[in-house]
Amino acid sequence: MPTSEFFEVEAKFAVTDGTEVPDLTGIPTVSAVTGTTVHELSAVYYDTGDLRLTRSRITLRRRTGGTDAGWHAKLPGDGGRRELHHELTDGDVNAVPRALIDPVRAIVRDLPLIPIARVDNERHGSVLVDSSGTVCAEFCDDHVTAWSLLPGGERTTWREWEIELSGDYAGTDAGVTLIESAAELFGTAGAGPSESPSKLVAALGDSIDDAPHPPGVAEPAPGSTEAGVLSALEYNYRRLLDHDPRVRRDEWDSVHQMRVATRELRSHLETFDGVMDGDSYRDTARGLRELAAVLGTARDAEVVAERFRELTAGEQSGIVSPASAAALVDSVRADYRDAHARVVEYLNSPGYLRLLAELEELLADPPFRRDTVTDAGEKDPGETGDTTAEVLLDRLGHAYRKLLTRHDHAMAVWEDRSVPLREREENIHRIRKAAKKLRYSAEAVGAATGLKTKHLYKACGRMQSVLGDFQDAVTSRDILLAKAEQARAAGDGTDTFLHGLLYQRELNNGDDALAGYRKTMDAVVDAYSELDNQRRKNRRKAGDTSGKKGRKH
């Protein structure tokens, strides 16, 4: 069954039973009211037992009666709410359609969705039109009776007004002006702003306070290293959850952003290994690696499709047919669509839902090693009395030394043509991965210890950018080779000259990108030396003069 989507912008107003509806043409935009109809609506709202949707400002309901009977999900959006509609299904009335569960899957996972409230509404609706005859809004005078189905819930009644913008006005300046004018008119009639953001929240009333809460984030002593560790992990966990529905909708760059959050989270877990431990902890890290790999395939196809579009658009030789260029770009776009479908399939898999549950549990009950946990108190960053901080700083040093080792090896053979190009390029890719690891470690250690790691973080970011451009060119060449092989194997007469032409251009693009690498390496060394000096200074204050310096190249 099809699912439709709308952008909802509305305002609610509290009124008493005796408040009279004013002349709605008193709203400057409104030229006429096309009539009033009365509908008897009844909606049952669903959520997990611990109200994960409600606490995220999301509503999920099954409504009967009126012109839009069906399943509805309302999600927060910029300047309004995204509303998803799905037709009523036969059979079990409590069977929520998967099309409405998937957009909130990261929140509810595979937990049961149960009825939490019933709202009956006698709606007096009026359609408002502007001077051109275009529908600009709907005014609703709602007489509501609601029941909370939570333990201790009660029956409540109230009256409220709603004004909802039409599609032509939602999200526009004209729509904002219309609602502001309506609020002014309603205020003179005795209406006030609604105290509840939704009918569901009003229906639940105080019973929401007795419902269980989802697991929260543990709260170590403020200022402790453990508090910093959890803050760093929670930040990227929230980013992952935030991008999940965007990836499902295939929003531009969402796959990339979710992949970054996943990789940072995994890197943080590796950095904090030694501060935290346990089999479940390492299982979570492996789950993040698997998720990053699935996202990576789609991301590579997305990047290459855009590169091919730009490369073919810039082809000025006139020796390549536009049809050949279009066919190549379309082929890679099809690869992306297939890869994106596999991503969505993975996001609905038991393994992914288990990963989210593991992350939630890790934040709620972090497996800190008792021999590294510190007492609360004010300490200088890097002070040796803070065992947790020392473990993290050692991790950072290890990540830095790995980068130096990979740099030395790659540069030693880069000009050696006896070493296969593929091997030399893989060495450069390994530097990029080490720089990424060091960058994420710098961010995590800075958050956890208070050391000023921003310069190192930014220097690694610049290196990543340079080597990322290089790797994109390499990935593009790999796909060009694969596409050429496919064309030859198909034997359909496809002209592969374009593939070779673009291959050479990507070779040149890779060389151009790599030209700025050594400068970024020097910046990383300087930033780490600065950080190491800061660490050794703090150690001297604590009576420990150990520590290693960085080195120049």
Side-chain angles (χ1 to χ4, degrees):
M1 294 182 179
T3 300
S4 54
E5 180 174 338
F6 305 90
F7 184 62
E8 178 189 74
V9 180
E10 66 179 14
K12 297 178 180 291
F13 304 86
V15 293
T16 66
D17 288 340
T19 307
E20 294 187 4
V21 177
D23 180 1
L24 298 176
T25 59
I27 302 172
T29 308
V30 179
S31 294
V33 179
T34 61
T36 299
T37 56
V38 179
H39 295 288
E40 297 293 339
L41 312 176
S42 183
V44 175
Y45 289 79
Y46 293 80
D47 204 341
T48 59
D50 51 11
L51 305 184
R52 292 172 180 243
L53 294 178
T54 305
R55 301 185 197 282
S56 300
R57 298 187 301 116
I58 296 171
T59 59
L60 175 63
R61 72 187 180 200
R62 184 183 189 274
R63 173 188 275 177
T64 56
T67 59
D68 63 346
W71 287 93
H72 305 159
K74 295 186 179 183
L75 302 91
D78 295 333
R81 307 185 79 186
R82 290 179 55 243
E83 184 169 351
L84 307 178
H85 287 195
H86 193 278
E87 296 176 11
L88 292 175
T89 52
D90 295 329
D92 185 358
V93 296
N94 293 321
V96 182
R98 176 172 171 173
L100 296 192
I101 296 178
D102 284 352
V104 296
R105 181 72 71 182
I107 298 174
V108 304
R109 300 200 301 267
D110 52 359
L111 298 173
L113 292 169
I114 60 174
I116 60 167
R118 174 182 166 184
V119 175
D120 290 350
N121 180 15
E122 181 185 291
R123 167 162 288 179
H124 300 246
S126 301
V127 177
L128 313 182
V129 297
D130 61 19
S131 57
S132 68
T134 300
V135 175
C136 55
E138 180 182 11
F139 170 78
C140 299
D141 181 6
D142 290 340
H143 302 257
V144 184
T145 301
W147 296 262
S148 170
L149 304 181
L150 300 178
E154 298 179 345
R155 175 183 180 274
T156 53
T157 62
W158 70 91
R159 183 184 177 206
E160 68 181 24
W161 291 347
E162 288 184 6
I163 185 163
E164 180 178 347
L165 299 177
S166 71
D168 289 338
Y169 277 77
T172 67
D173 291 341
V176 172
T177 300
L178 190 155
I179 285 183
E180 290 175 346
S181 300
E184 184 176 348
L185 175 66
F186 297 165
T188 63
S194 174
E195 296 181 357
S196 177
S198 69
K199 287 182 174 64
L200 171 60
V201 172
L204 294 178
D206 293 339
S207 67
I208 193 173
D209 297 330
D210 296 326
H213 280 257
V217 179
E219 297 182 0
S224 67
T225 304
E226 287 72 32
V229 167
L230 286 184
S231 177
L233 293 174
E234 182 186 10
Y235 173 72
N236 280 301
Y237 171 64
R238 300 299 177 196
R239 286 178 64 199
L240 190 154
L241 294 183
D242 182 56
H243 287 294
D244 175 290
R246 298 178 184 182
V247 168
R248 294 173 188 272
R249 295 196 300 270
D250 199 16
E251 290 186 9
W252 169 249
D253 204 40
S254 59
V255 170
H256 172 58
Q257 293 302 326
M258 188 176 186
R259 184 189 187 196
V260 169
T262 301
R263 284 183 160 181
E264 286 198 29
L265 195 50
R266 176 189 163 206
S267 179
H268 287 357
L269 290 182
E270 291 176 350
T271 299
F272 298 148
D273 193 356
V275 174
M276 296 179 172
D277 65 7
D279 292 340
S280 62
Y281 180 80
R282 294 179 181 87
D283 286 343
T284 303
R286 284 191 287 271
L288 288 167
R289 182 187 300 116
E290 184 175 310
L291 173 59
V294 174
L295 292 167
T297 301
R299 174 58 179 167
D300 286 347
E302 184 178 40
V303 168
V304 170
E306 182 61 19
R307 287 183 75 91
F308 283 8
R309 185 193 66 78
E310 292 176 354
L311 286 168
T312 55
E315 170 55 42
Q316 302 294 325
S317 68
I319 55 179
V320 175
S321 73
S324 296
L328 179 59
V329 173
D330 289 345
S331 174
V332 183
R333 285 175 174 164
D335 291 344
Y336 170 73
R337 288 192 295 272
D338 291 343
H340 180 265
R342 288 192 293 273
V343 168
V344 173
E345 180 180 5
Y346 185 81
L347 296 184
N348 290 323
S349 70
Y352 174 69
L353 302 183
R354 183 170 56 251
L355 171 63
L356 295 182
E358 290 171 354
L359 289 167
E360 182 181 75
E361 176 62 24
L362 184 148
L363 291 170
D365 186 18
F368 287 118
R369 287 179 51 177
R370 304 315 304 169
D371 58 338
T372 63
V373 172
T374 62
D375 294 328
E378 296 296 327
K379 290 182 178 175
D380 289 327
E383 184 179 326
T384 55
D386 187 341
T387 309
T388 305
E390 283 301 303
V391 171
L392 298 180
L393 290 166
D394 286 344
R395 291 282 180 183
L396 185 66
H398 176 74
Y400 175 68
R401 290 188 293 275
K402 178 178 285 189
L403 174 64
L404 296 183
T405 299
R406 291 186 176 183
H407 165 84
D408 288 345
H409 176 69
M411 293 300 100
V413 300
W414 178 248
E415 301 293 342
D416 186 351
R417 296 299 186 265
S418 67
V419 178
L421 177 61
R422 171 61 63 196
E423 181 178 332
R424 287 181 282 133
E425 289 177 337
E426 181 58 29
N427 289 339
I428 300 297
H429 185 44
R430 293 176 72 242
I431 295 176
R432 179 181 176 232
K433 290 192 288 187
K436 187 180 299 182
K437 170 64 177 175
L438 179 58
R439 178 176 176 234
Y440 295 159
S441 294
E443 178 189 44
V445 170
T449 68
L451 274 173
K452 297 177 181 178
T453 60
K454 182 170 67 174
H455 289 171
L456 179 60
Y457 178 84
K458 289 185 174 181
C460 290
R462 289 189 289 271
M463 177 183 286
Q464 270 187 256
S465 180
V466 167
L467 297 184
D469 290 343
F470 175 82
Q471 187 59 35
D472 285 347
V474 172
T475 301
S476 176
R477 283 172 28 222
D478 288 345
I479 292 179
L480 283 165
L481 279 177
K483 293 295 181 183
E485 288 292 341
Q486 290 172 9
R488 285 192 289 269
D492 58 4
T494 299
D495 183 4
T496 59
F497 176 78
L498 174 62
H499 300 68
L501 179 65
L502 298 185
Y503 186 94
Q504 182 59 51
R505 288 189 177 173
E506 290 290 44
L507 269 175
N508 296 338
N509 288 338
D511 289 342
D512 291 344
L514 205 55
Y517 164 67
R518 285 188 179 273
K519 183 177 180 180
T520 66
M521 186 65 199
D522 287 342
V524 169
V525 171
D526 288 341
Y528 185 82
S529 295
E530 175 187 322
L531 181 62
D532 199 44
N533 287 336
Q534 180 189 164
R535 178 188 184 185
R536 288 186 290 109
K537 180 180 178 180
N538 291 330
R539 277 180 160 178
R540 283 197 296 270
K541 288 181 180 180
D544 179 358
T545 58
S546 63
K548 297 182 178 63
K549 294 183 179 181
R551 63 181 172 88
K552 272 289 198 178
H553 292 263

